Amino acid sequence: MSGQAELPRRSRCCGDFRTEHVGQECCVMGWVHSYRDHGGVIFIDLRDRSGLVQIVADPSTSPGAHAAAERVRSEWVVAAVGRVRPRSAESINPKLATGEVEIITDRIVILTEAETPPFPVDAAEEMDESLRLKWRFIDLRRPQMLDRLRRRHEVVLSARNYLSERGFWEIETPLLINSSPEGARDFLVPSRMNPGHFYALPQSPQLMKQTLMASGVDRYFQMARCLRDEDLRADRQPEHTQIDIEMSFVDEEQVLETVEGLVRHIYRVAKGVDLPDPFPRMTYAEAMLRYGSDKPELRFGLEIIDVSPVVAKSEFRVFTETLANGGQVRGINVKAGACLSRSQLDNLQPTARELGGKGAAYIIYEPDGTWRSPLLKYFPEDVLEELRSLLGGEPGDLFVFGADEPEALAPFMGRLRLHLAGLVGLPGETDDIRPLWVTDFPVFERDSETGGWQAMHHPFTMPKREFLDTMEENPGAVIGQLYDLVINGAELGSGSIRIHDPSIQQRVFRIVGISEEEAERKFSYLLRAFRYGAPPHGGIALGIDRLVSQIVGVKSIREVIAFPKTATGADLMMGAPGPVDDAQLRELHIRPVE
RNA sequence: GGGGCUGUAGCUCAGUUGGUUGAGAGUACCUGACUGUCGAUCAGGGGGUCGCGGGUUCGAGUCCCGUCAGCCCCGCCA
């Protein structure tokens, strides 16, 4: 009877049986993946996380096992005791790793019966994601999903090993901390014992890990949960995990070397590939000019090129007037883009506006060497030729242009580049992995609302030495010791060398408009710690969810998180967030507004 | 806060300009048959608030408005 028989001892996982085990007595346990009842002999494919193995129940030799096998249904949990035997040549199943053997059972123990699952575990087609999330425990049974969990484990384990071997200590920092109003919106946790006071869940352990450096920890890491109450995306969840790293007595170069080594190690262990050594580097300024993004996708070209001097010689008013007003015109050579359909070309204009541009113009260099474009009448032949030369045009290419003031043009061209790449099928199916350090980020940027200066990364970023004397004069020009790790167009990590000198810190706070009282209130313990002797230090945080989703080749980080949330922040399996009792609220001194 | 896409048996989907389909297919499920299958096969059966609400119409799965849910994007995410 279900759940009552004495549990036999499992001898091996289902997927591990091979011809070398033939003749062995064995006991396997798992879920009934499928069964084939031939009236006489019954076959059961038994599944655990290692794979499938075929169990055979023969009524002529084991009527008891056969009777149990007759009752069995999909996803029941059973144990089968028997013996490994080779399959006959005709019945070998090359699709199964265990396909050369099978287990002839003389005893089947039904461990648990199961309701019919809401969707099949071996579903060929993709299910609706909300269904998968509601029944996540079934969804995770799918071999593909278990494999992703395993690979995530391998990423985390390999990171732990690598860092530990290099003297990093894994240290946990609190989840209940104080709120700091700038940056992302905090998740708040009311304090029962302190009416009207709240904890916040950490957006990152930033201040705490820097404090650990002041404590002399020297090298720290943590698999850190980070929580932000902001809107979700395919690559953003309200809680995500970072490999959080901080090192003392190092400069930028040493941090980059360490992190590169770590990331190469992870890819070697979890994906079996060797990444370039060293990673290529590009400054922020160059990335914005050539790729229109601070996270360039390098798996294809389609670089952005300034064509202002050339198109200035055309009579196309949109271009010439933009140039006259201090703007620029930049172009992209979409290799082999002349094959785009008429409707795709017509859609460029509205699409460009959706991407935040003023518009997009195009010129086609036909395979036969002739030109085609609505703009042809404005472009003399020699200007076209000059354009072609500048853009490296070959027959069959498509040139697409945008015009605007430089600050708006760069990000627009970046989005346009990715859109155009998609139209011609780039990057396509490829094993290419293109890591990149983007360095030399500005420390300060204009606040779009107030117009004042704010920290681009965070206010603890150390400006490069050459800007230290003069940073108040032109904050916008100050480059920081700031670096992002980008792989295939995704930002996988971000870090910096931090300010450890209280006087520099004070000046930076002044530039971003944080008063001494405010700084003392928000960052009290860190600033206090630094007054008592802080080492030079820096670090980085790598997003594990993004890293793993890239390693296993999925678009959304939800595919590599066991229990992720929907775009509205709901957990469909557990039904969170949900209402709470009035009594709970009273205890926390909270009353709903309304 | 805004834009786009999707919503029809347990699951994946089809469903023509609104009317012969009193809502279909495959699969899953249930019953029966079958001793070598591995997407088993064969026969039979049960199963639907067409996301929800309102409207237009003689008539709505189909058209209109609203709403809910999921997905993608913008804003947001130091």
Side-chain angles (χ1 to χ4, degrees):
Chain A
M1 269 282 105
S2 158
Q4 294 176 17
E6 191 183 343
L7 190 66
R9 181 171 290 244
R10 179 166 70 166
S11 52
R12 182 170 275 109
C13 284
C14 296
D16 296 341
F17 286 91
R18 296 292 184 275
T19 47
E20 68 192 88
H21 305 117
V22 163
Q24 291 182 1
E25 300 294 321
C26 66
C27 169
V28 289
M29 301 185 192
W31 287 259
V32 174
H33 192 67
S34 64
Y35 55 93
R36 296 171 291 280
D37 184 346
H38 285 252
V41 67
I42 296 175
F43 301 99
I44 294 173
D45 287 340
L46 199 64
R47 183 194 74 237
D48 62 24
R49 67 180 194 181
S50 68
L52 297 176
V53 68
Q54 173 164 283
I55 312 293
V56 184
D58 188 333
S60 63
T61 56
S62 295
H66 182 267
E70 262 187 319
R71 292 188 55 226
V72 151
R73 290 295 179 268
S74 287
E75 299 306 309
W76 286 25
V77 184
V78 305
V81 182
R83 189 166 33 79
V84 186
R85 70 181 190 191
R87 298 202 196 186
S88 66
E90 319 83 69
S91 62
I92 284 175
N93 183 353
K95 293 181 200 163
L96 289 184
T98 60
E100 289 185 57
V101 297
E102 62 190 9
I103 293 168
I104 177 74
T105 182
D106 48 34
R107 184 172 161 233
I108 287 181
V109 183
I110 293 168
L111 302 172
T112 326
E113 299 184 10
E115 293 180 27
T116 304
F119 51 83
V121 171
D122 63 347
E125 62 267 285
E126 266 310 296
M127 271 88 55
D128 184 71
E129 193 175 352
S130 60
L131 195 76
R132 294 175 54 206
L133 292 178
K134 178 176 179 183
W135 301 91
R136 191 61 157 180
F137 45 90
I138 305 289
D139 189 41
L140 291 178
R141 283 182 191 174
R142 297 159 62 215
Q144 186 182 44
M145 294 304 289
L146 285 175
D147 187 58
R148 290 173 187 165
L149 294 182
R150 178 182 61 78
R151 300 199 45 196
R152 183 178 178 126
H153 160 74
E154 285 168 358
V155 166
V156 172
L157 181 63
S158 64
R160 279 204 165 97
N161 288 339
Y162 187 91
L163 291 168
S164 177
E165 281 165 18
R166 280 152 189 81
F168 288 82
W169 293 349
E170 183 168 11
I171 298 173
E172 290 159 281
T173 53
L175 280 178
L176 296 174
I177 65 173
N178 56 331
S179 176
S180 60
E182 78 292 325
R185 198 175 291 117
D186 277 327
F187 281 108
L188 295 179
V189 179
S191 167
R192 174 179 56 81
M193 288 181 285
N194 302 277
H197 285 61
F198 293 81
Y199 300 100
L201 302 176
Q203 297 171 27
S204 84
Q206 184 63 38
L207 302 189
M208 294 171 279
K209 71 173 173 179
Q210 289 191 243
T211 304
L212 287 173
M213 294 302 104
S215 302
V217 164
D218 204 299
R219 292 183 162 208
Y220 142 97
F221 80 98
Q222 178 178 200
M223 303 300 161
R225 313 304 301 276
C226 301
L227 301 110
R228 298 174 187 181
D229 187 7
E230 296 291 347
D231 286 1
L232 289 79
R233 287 284 189 283
D235 63 350
R236 269 162 40 190
Q237 286 270 303
E239 48 184 314
H240 73 286
T241 312
Q242 295 184 336
I243 307 176
D244 194 42
I245 296 172
E246 199 75 6
M247 311 167 70
S248 292
F249 308 112
V250 292
D251 58 17
E252 178 169 352
E253 204 57 41
Q254 289 168 282
V255 176
L256 297 193
E257 278 170 25
T258 303
V259 176
E260 265 190 52
L262 169 65
V263 172
R264 260 195 300 277
H265 179 71
I266 290 172
Y267 270 81
R268 201 176 304 124
V269 170
K271 200 174 170 67
V273 299
D274 285 309
L275 297 186
D277 184 4
F279 292 176
R281 297 186 191 182
M282 189 182 297
T283 66
Y284 169 82
E286 187 182 357
M288 292 307 292
L289 273 179
R290 290 172 57 195
Y291 299 94
S293 168
D294 59 0
K295 43 182 181 181
E297 162 69 275
L298 295 183
R299 285 179 298 175
F300 50 81
L302 275 63
E303 284 189 32
I304 298 159
I305 293 169
D306 185 3
V307 297
S308 304
V310 177
V311 300
K313 290 181 249 175
S314 79
E315 289 155 31
F316 186 46
R317 294 268 291 275
V318 176
F319 286 176
T320 53
E321 282 175 10
T322 300
L323 294 172
N325 293 328
Q328 284 191 353
V329 180
R330 295 179 192 168
I332 296 172
N333 178 358
V334 185
K335 295 309 268 181
C339 60
L340 290 189
S341 72
R342 180 61 199 260
S343 68
Q344 285 176 310
L345 293 170
D346 288 343
N347 274 332
L348 277 181
Q349 196 64 8
T351 302
R353 279 190 282 269
E354 282 170 28
L355 296 174
K358 296 224 166 102
Y362 66 88
I363 298 177
I364 295 168
Y365 188 41
E366 299 277 20
D368 64 6
T370 60
W371 298 94
R372 172 159 62 99
S373 168
L375 277 56
L376 270 196
K377 53 180 177 264
Y378 307 113
F379 281 78
E381 187 73 29
D382 60 321
V383 177
L384 284 174
E385 174 53 30
E386 208 177 328
L387 258 186
R388 188 204 62 72
S389 167
L390 180 59
L391 292 166
E394 298 168 309
D397 287 353
L398 163 72
F399 308 148
V400 181
F401 306 96
D404 208 334
E405 56 188 42
E407 299 75 41
L409 187 55
F412 162 61
M413 292 304 287
R415 288 189 286 266
L416 185 61
R417 172 177 177 265
L418 295 177
H419 173 74
L420 292 168
L423 288 183
V424 294
L426 291 170
E429 294 296 317
T430 170
D431 295 332
D432 208 12
I433 301 170
R434 300 291 297 269
L436 175 74
W437 285 114
V438 178
T439 63
D440 296 70
F441 281 79
V443 174
F444 306 104
E445 64 182 354
R446 289 285 187 185
D447 188 316
S448 53
E449 287 164 22
T450 66
W453 293 106
Q454 63 180 12
M456 191 159 185
H457 185 58
H458 58 56
F460 311 109
T461 302
M462 184 70 164
K464 292 214 161 182
R465 206 154 296 285
E466 56 265 39
F467 298 94
L468 281 180
D469 294 336
T470 58
M471 61 184 179
E472 283 84 357
E473 293 164 20
N474 185 5
V478 178
I479 303 296
Q481 301 187 47
L482 248 177
Y483 35 84
D484 276 9
L485 175 65
V486 176
I487 301 186
N488 293 358
E491 182 197 315
L492 294 190
S494 193
S496 64
I497 298 297
R498 331 293 184 186
I499 299 169
H500 66 282
D501 177 336
S503 69
I504 297 176
Q505 186 65 70
Q506 222 165 47
R507 290 169 59 201
V508 168
F509 280 153
R510 215 171 289 134
I511 291 172
V512 298
I514 297 178
S515 69
E516 263 178 63
E517 303 76 52
E518 199 180 354
E520 192 56 43
R521 195 172 65 246
K522 289 175 179 168
F523 315 119
S524 57
Y525 64 97
L526 182 67
L527 301 181
R528 207 177 315 138
F530 281 9
R531 288 201 296 270
Y532 289 87
H537 62 286
I540 197 167
L542 302 172
I544 293 182
D545 310 281
R546 290 182 184 176
L547 194 62
V548 177
S549 58
Q550 193 151 90
I551 284 172
V552 305
V554 293
K555 290 234 162 61
S556 162
I557 64 172
R558 293 187 300 273
E559 297 296 340
V560 297
I561 296 173
F563 304 110
K565 291 178 175 54
T566 68
T568 53
D571 185 315
L572 297 181
M573 184 181 73
M574 60 182 75
V580 296
D581 293 342
D582 287 344
Q584 285 177 283
L585 290 179
R586 271 197 301 278
E587 197 168 46
L588 297 168
H589 321 283
I590 287 183
R591 192 169 42 232
V593 196
E594 217 81 14

